[in-house]
Amino acid sequence: LELRKIMKRKLKFIIFSLVFFSIASWLWFELCFLEGNALTFWQELVKAGEENEVVIIFNPGGWGTTPFDEALDFAPIVENIKSTIENFGYKTAVVPYFRTKNNFFAKIGSVNEFFTSFHSQSKKMAQNLEGLIKEDENLDILMVGLSSGATFVNETVDKLSEDAKESVLAIGMGLPFWNKSTNSPNALFLDKQGKDPLSSGNIPMLIFALIKSPFHPKIEGHFYFWEDVEDEITVFCQKNIKR
């Protein structure tokens, strides 16, 4: 009986600690991180816009915390996109956008954003892009995103005005099946011709990947290589970058 009481107290303490931790991390994310992150990104975006003709906004998959030089699943493609645009004669820069910080506390704080398709962050990003375009109408912006990064790109473009959509291009790869892609004519979403299991909603494959590696699931068929997307992306950029 005494052991049961001790276990019950421990369970209550654990539950209370988890609830407190979750609330504290969410408050930090909403009240501290969002505005600070948006300001830092805005400063980097403005600087890149002043020095270049095209700015590529890099949105990694997962939690959105992977630095560009460590994103081995996506950075090589973005580097090739940058080289392609530069071969068209446009000075181009890559600016990364991080959706949270790379620690457990920050990731827990961003869970609500993750499950609401980054509603607050995409709204703020759309406002930033609208402001930048008004300052420099000749600047072209290309948002690129992989997986959950593609979700963020998709949601941002949807929140832009029709005029802003003329200057903001979007390329997404592996957009999750529960997100409906934007109808913007300046957006390209690739899914390996329907063979990407996350984009097509192949539930058995997704469950298997989650069981196999619950914390870092690797979904077979969800990886992209430049040679597979080069033609579509090159044609898209050539057609839509307007200066």
Side-chain angles (χ1 to χ4, degrees):
L1 185 61
E2 186 64 27
L3 179 61
R4 185 178 295 178
K5 288 182 179 179
I6 293 173
M7 293 300 293
K8 191 174 182 180
R9 284 199 296 268
K10 284 186 176 181
L11 182 60
K12 285 182 178 180
F13 176 77
I14 291 171
I15 293 173
F16 174 81
S17 298
L18 289 173
V19 170
F20 177 81
F21 183 85
S22 299
I23 293 174
S25 61
W26 176 78
L27 287 173
W28 168 84
F29 185 85
E30 293 288 330
L31 301 178
C32 301
F33 175 79
L34 284 180
E35 285 301 320
N37 188 56
L39 178 60
T40 299
F41 175 76
W42 169 253
Q43 292 169 343
E44 294 175 354
L45 187 64
V46 169
K47 183 179 178 181
E50 291 172 346
E51 299 172 353
N52 296 273
E53 297 167 298
V54 179
V55 175
I56 299 174
I57 301 175
F58 168 75
N59 297 276
W63 292 98
T65 61
T66 309
F68 184 75
D69 56 357
E70 296 178 17
L72 303 182
D73 58 345
F74 195 36
I77 292 177
V78 178
E79 286 282 11
N80 277 290
I81 294 174
K82 180 175 181 288
S83 296
T84 298
I85 297 173
E86 288 175 334
N87 288 337
F88 295 156
Y90 305 130
K91 191 176 180 184
T92 307
V94 176
V95 178
Y97 179 80
F98 300 112
R99 297 189 295 278
T100 190
K101 289 186 177 294
N102 191 25
N103 60 66
F104 184 70
F105 180 81
K107 289 176 180 178
I108 293 299
S110 69
V111 164
N112 183 60
E113 272 292 286
F114 190 91
F115 284 109
T116 58
S117 297
F118 310 105
H119 175 76
S120 297
Q121 287 178 294
S122 60
K123 182 179 179 180
K124 189 65 177 178
M125 174 66 80
Q127 292 172 347
N128 280 342
L129 297 184
E130 296 264 4
L132 187 61
I133 292 166
K134 287 179 182 179
E135 291 184 11
D136 185 357
E137 295 180 354
N138 294 318
L139 180 68
D140 278 319
I141 298 168
L142 170 59
M143 295 189 72
V144 295
L146 173 67
S147 197
S148 56
T151 297
F152 178 74
V153 168
N154 186 58
E155 293 298 314
T156 299
V157 172
D158 258 351
K159 293 177 174 63
L160 292 170
S161 66
E162 292 304 314
D163 288 340
K165 286 179 182 178
E166 292 295 317
S167 298
V168 178
L169 315 181
I171 297 176
M173 299 178 198
L175 180 72
F177 67 91
W178 56 83
N179 297 122
K180 183 180 179 181
S181 59
T182 178
N183 59 4
S184 171
N186 285 346
L188 173 67
F189 286 91
L190 304 172
D191 61 1
K192 292 189 169 184
Q193 290 76 48
K195 296 178 181 178
D196 185 322
L198 185 59
S199 297
S200 62
N202 189 327
I203 303 300
M205 283 191 70
L206 298 179
I207 292 175
F208 177 76
L210 191 61
I211 293 173
K212 189 176 180 181
S213 181
F215 296 105
H216 300 283
K218 297 184 183 298
I219 305 168
E220 187 177 346
H222 189 55
F223 296 93
Y224 290 77
F225 301 94
W226 175 243
E227 55 267 26
D228 299 327
V229 298
E230 178 180 4
D231 291 343
E232 288 179 275
I233 290 177
T234 300
V235 170
F236 174 81
C237 291
Q238 200 166 23
K239 176 183 175 183
N240 291 284
I241 294 178
K242 300 165 186 174
R243 300 193 58 79

